[in-house]
Amino acid sequence: VQLQASGGGLVQAGGSLRLSCATSGRTFSTYSSGWFRQAPGKEREFVAVISPDGTSTYVTNSVKGRFTISRDNAKNTVSLQMNSLKPEDTAVYYCAADSRFSVRPSDYDYWGQGTQVTVSS
């Protein structure tokens, strides 16, 4: 599975961005997909995960009510809608895929390149 993230950018606090992760491979629909982020000097942290069929999702508490993860298996894409962005959301965001529905970065076998999200105050 190959993944490519896009959609990052510079936005003011309170604004919105939609990240997309394009994937290749016929088995994409059998993998859970996650979004993670890494701020400068910090470890990579979990943001959101979605099950292979899209019926189960889980987001970290700090983004609950603001971020929504979704997927379109027909188009082989996973998205992260980010609303009410805060400066502390600034980070490089990564999409990932694995057979496990997990919040741990170490569980994921497949990673895309990151996309930078910068939120100005």
Side-chain angles (χ1 to χ4, degrees):
V1 177
Q2 294 183 322
L3 306 98
Q4 184 168 355
S6 63
L10 173 64
V11 64
Q12 290 188 333
S16 297
L17 282 174
R18 185 176 181 87
L19 304 184
S20 293
C21 182
T23 69
S24 63
R26 293 178 295 175
T27 59
F28 169 70
S29 62
T30 66
Y31 288 89
S32 291
S33 295
W35 285 96
F36 296 82
R37 65 187 180 185
Q38 188 165 17
K42 295 188 176 181
E43 293 186 352
R44 191 167 298 187
E45 66 173 1
F46 166 78
V47 176
V49 61
I50 189 166
S51 61
D53 62 2
T55 58
S56 296
T57 62
Y58 180 72
V59 299
T60 192
N61 285 340
S62 62
V63 308
K64 197 165 292 184
R66 301 189 297 122
F67 290 13
T68 303
I69 188 171
S70 61
R71 69 189 295 160
D72 184 338
N73 285 340
K75 297 182 178 180
N76 282 358
T77 59
V78 179
S79 299
L80 185 69
Q81 178 67 41
M82 306 187 296
N83 299 327
S84 302
L85 283 161
K86 304 175 181 180
E88 51 263 44
D89 294 318
T90 295
V92 177
Y93 283 71
Y94 298 89
C95 59
D98 197 79
S99 58
R100 291 162 286 194
F101 187 84
S102 175
V103 303
R104 297 186 300 185
S106 59
D107 283 343
Y108 284 76
D109 287 336
Y110 304 101
W111 290 86
Q113 92 293 355
T115 184
Q116 176 70 47
V117 171
T118 304
V119 185
S120 63
S121 58

